[in-house]
Amino acid sequence: MTQKPNRKELAASYRQEIIQDVTLFTSQSTAVFYDRLFSTLDYKLPRAVTGRKGFPKEAMLCAFLVMKCEGFSQISDLVDYLENNRLIAYYCGFNIMKPLPSYWTYARFLRQVNNSELKEIMAALVRKLYDEGIVDASFIGLDSTPISANTRYNNPKSFAKNKFSKKNPPKRDRDCALGVHSASNQHNERRYEFYWGYKSHVLVDCISGLPLYELTTPANTPDSNVAAEILANANQTISLQNCSFIADKGYDARSIYNTVKDVYDGEAFIPLRNYSTKNSKKLASGNPICEAGLAMHKDGKTTDNGRTRQKYCCPFRQSKTGQCPCNHRNWNNGKKNRGCTKYKTIPNDYRLSIDRSCLSFKRTYALRTECERYNSRFKCTGQERLWVHNSVSATNLNTIAHISALAIACAAILLPGTHSYRSKKALRRAA
């Protein structure tokens, strides 16, 4: 006669079955969300020929995608999340019957993975969205967002001396640089903040609000210096011909205008940078007025650095008996041609020929706000302040954050019905 198990044995067996069923520890919508998210990724990262196999690189990348989707800023949060949600770790590609990667395994992966491999994954997602008609290059915007390095100098409560001096770089991150970003969008306010860190330059489709290409540089890199490189690399993914390039005053450089027009046969929508704060007076005919209130005369043209300027001189330039009413410093210079001179640039190039006061320019430039919206979503992934201490890890983390945004968009278009391909929360609720 067999003996029936008692209550304690039954309770122990039930607990064992519950522990083995990983689906009981993860919500169904979250599990379905990550299952569909990872199914959109069709890639294979190369592995080393020799040495220990370790964890699959594809699984490690999926784990970091979970980190960006959940908005974790620390790896320790990711480790705890996967330990408590073994089903998601299984979807990532880990063997949940064995120990999951540790903190140092994730950190080592960021340092060793090649960023070009991540760029290829991002380009493949952009091409997939382009084939589906979600993204195109009709209206593209370029902007950069500051990323603070993991150093005490960026702490506003730090009392370190000369913490924003170029001669005193942070010892914790030797790759970062000193940068400055505006703390106000008002034109009449000159508020700015210094920081140690990097910049994430992102080329965004201003219609869909999705990234097309990204580049991470030190914080001291001017935005206009990397615009041509970003456009050239993005053009290898999808064609940028006949595009409308939208950017702020930081990209007001003649080389960018010529590149957009000559190379890509497009139009540039960039406001002019105010290099001078003086409002010079002039007549209706365009002749400037000198400091003494006299109308200046034309005195030939000069061409330098690819621009043509009209020269204006004092009306008493060669007078021997005249007297300058304001006693200008150039009047009593002992030379034959006396008095002040002024120059006016003749708009003979593409940069100065753009009519920035027309309605078409204003409406098109208003699409640049999509870059700001994407930067806001990018910071919500935990990238506003880094926890790594080198440029390689910072660059890889930024690329993974952009890959997560594209993967969410790909997962949204595969679901039946209409879903927002910008919001991961809406996609998770629909899962």
Side-chain angles (χ1 to χ4, degrees), residues 222-225 247-254 256-257 270-277 351-352 356:
D223 294 344
S224 58
N225 289 7
D248 57 11
K249 294 181 180 179
Y251 299 89
D252 182 25
R254 186 172 283 101
I256 298 178
Y257 290 92
I270 308 173
L272 288 176
R273 185 182 300 178
N274 297 326
Y275 291 98
S276 177
T277 58
R351 173 177 174 269
L352 298 178
R356 293 173 173 82

Side-chain angles (χ1 to χ4, degrees), residues 380-394:
C380 290
T381 61
Q383 290 299 107
E384 190 170 8
R385 182 166 184 175
L386 298 173
W387 52 268
V388 295
H389 308 99
N390 56 85
S391 61
V392 176
S393 300

Side-chain angles (χ1 to χ4, degrees), residues 27-209:
S27 63
Q28 188 65 20
S29 60
T30 303
V32 174
F33 167 76
Y34 284 111
D35 185 22
R36 291 172 175 171
L37 182 68
F38 298 149
S39 63
T40 62
L41 301 175
D42 185 13
Y43 63 96
K44 189 174 182 180
L45 297 176
R47 302 183 183 181
V49 179
T50 60
R52 300 174 60 183
K53 292 184 178 180
F55 295 96
K57 287 187 176 181
E58 296 81 5
M60 298 292 293
L61 177 58
C62 290
F64 276 103
L65 292 179
V66 173
M67 179 181 178
K68 298 295 101 180
C69 291
E70 297 295 333
F72 297 147
S73 59
Q74 302 287 338
I75 281 186
S76 56
D77 299 331
L78 173 64
V79 173
D80 295 338
Y81 183 81
L82 293 182
E83 286 289 347
N84 297 325
N85 296 271
R86 289 294 181 113
L87 180 59
I88 297 179
Y90 172 76
Y91 286 152
C92 289
F94 295 117
N95 186 356
I96 60 176
M97 304 306 295
K98 296 182 179 180
L100 297 179
S102 63
Y103 176 94
W104 304 109
T105 304
Y106 288 113
R108 185 169 57 252
F109 171 79
L110 279 181
R111 292 194 306 269
Q112 296 179 353
V113 67
N114 193 347
N115 187 256
S116 61
E117 300 172 359
L118 300 179
K119 286 284 201 308
E120 286 295 329
I121 298 174
M122 182 176 176
L125 292 173
V126 172
R127 294 190 191 98
K128 182 183 295 186
L129 292 171
Y130 179 77
D131 295 337
E132 294 291 337
I134 303 298
V135 301
D136 62 4
S138 299
F139 298 91
I140 55 176
L142 183 59
D143 197 11
S144 64
T145 182
I147 301 175
S148 300
N150 189 2
T151 172
R152 63 188 178 94
Y153 291 160
N154 288 328
N155 188 352
K157 296 183 179 180
S158 174
F159 294 97
K161 295 182 180 179
N162 300 325
K163 62 180 182 179
F164 291 126
S165 174
K166 294 182 180 180
K167 299 180 181 179
N168 186 29
K171 298 179 181 180
R172 196 168 180 83
D173 190 350
R174 295 291 185 178
D175 299 331
C176 69
L178 181 62
V180 59
H181 70 94
S182 175
S184 175
N185 290 328
Q186 301 299 325
H187 299 285
N188 56 355
E189 295 183 7
R190 293 187 176 182
R191 295 174 54 191
Y192 51 87
E193 294 179 354
F194 292 99
Y195 74 100
W196 289 97
Y198 305 90
K199 277 184 181 181
S200 177
H201 307 264
V202 189
L203 186 67
V204 179
D205 174 21
C206 293
I207 303 301
S208 63

Side-chain angles (χ1 to χ4, degrees), residues 196-339:
W196 289 97
Y198 305 90
K199 277 184 181 181
S200 177
H201 307 264
V202 189
L203 186 67
V204 179
D205 174 21
C206 293
I207 303 301
S208 63
L210 295 175
L212 301 178
Y213 188 82
E214 65 89 21
L215 180 66
T216 302
T217 62
N220 61 351
T221 303
D223 294 344
S224 58
N225 289 7
V226 297
E229 178 185 354
I230 292 175
L231 291 176
N233 292 328
N235 187 53
Q236 296 179 1
T237 304
I238 60 174
S239 177
L240 300 184
Q241 293 297 318
N242 302 319
C243 66
S244 296
F245 180 75
I246 309 170
D248 57 11
K249 294 181 180 179
Y251 299 89
D252 182 25
R254 186 172 283 101
S255 59
I256 298 178
Y257 290 92
N258 296 337
T259 300
V260 172
K261 181 182 179 182
D262 300 336
V263 179
Y264 305 104
D265 196 19
E267 295 183 74
F269 295 85
I270 308 173
L272 288 176
R273 185 182 300 178
N274 297 326
Y275 291 98
S276 177
T277 58
K278 296 182 180 179
N279 295 324
S280 58
K281 298 180 180 179
K282 59 183 179 180
L283 299 177
S285 59
N287 291 39
I289 299 176
C290 67
E291 298 178 4
L294 302 176
M296 305 182 70
H297 297 172
K298 291 184 178 181
D299 188 25
K301 300 178 181 179
T302 177
T303 302
D304 58 346
N305 297 328
R307 61 178 178 177
T308 303
R309 296 188 298 171
Q310 176 68 55
K311 181 181 179 181
Y312 294 88
C313 64
C314 176
F316 303 123
R317 180 173 65 111
Q318 295 181 345
S319 176
K320 297 180 180 180
T321 59
Q323 181 65 30
C324 180
C326 66
N327 196 18
H328 196 273
R329 63 180 181 273
N330 292 336
W331 180 260
N332 300 318
N333 55 7
K335 297 181 179 180
K336 180 180 178 181
N337 298 329
R338 301 184 295 174

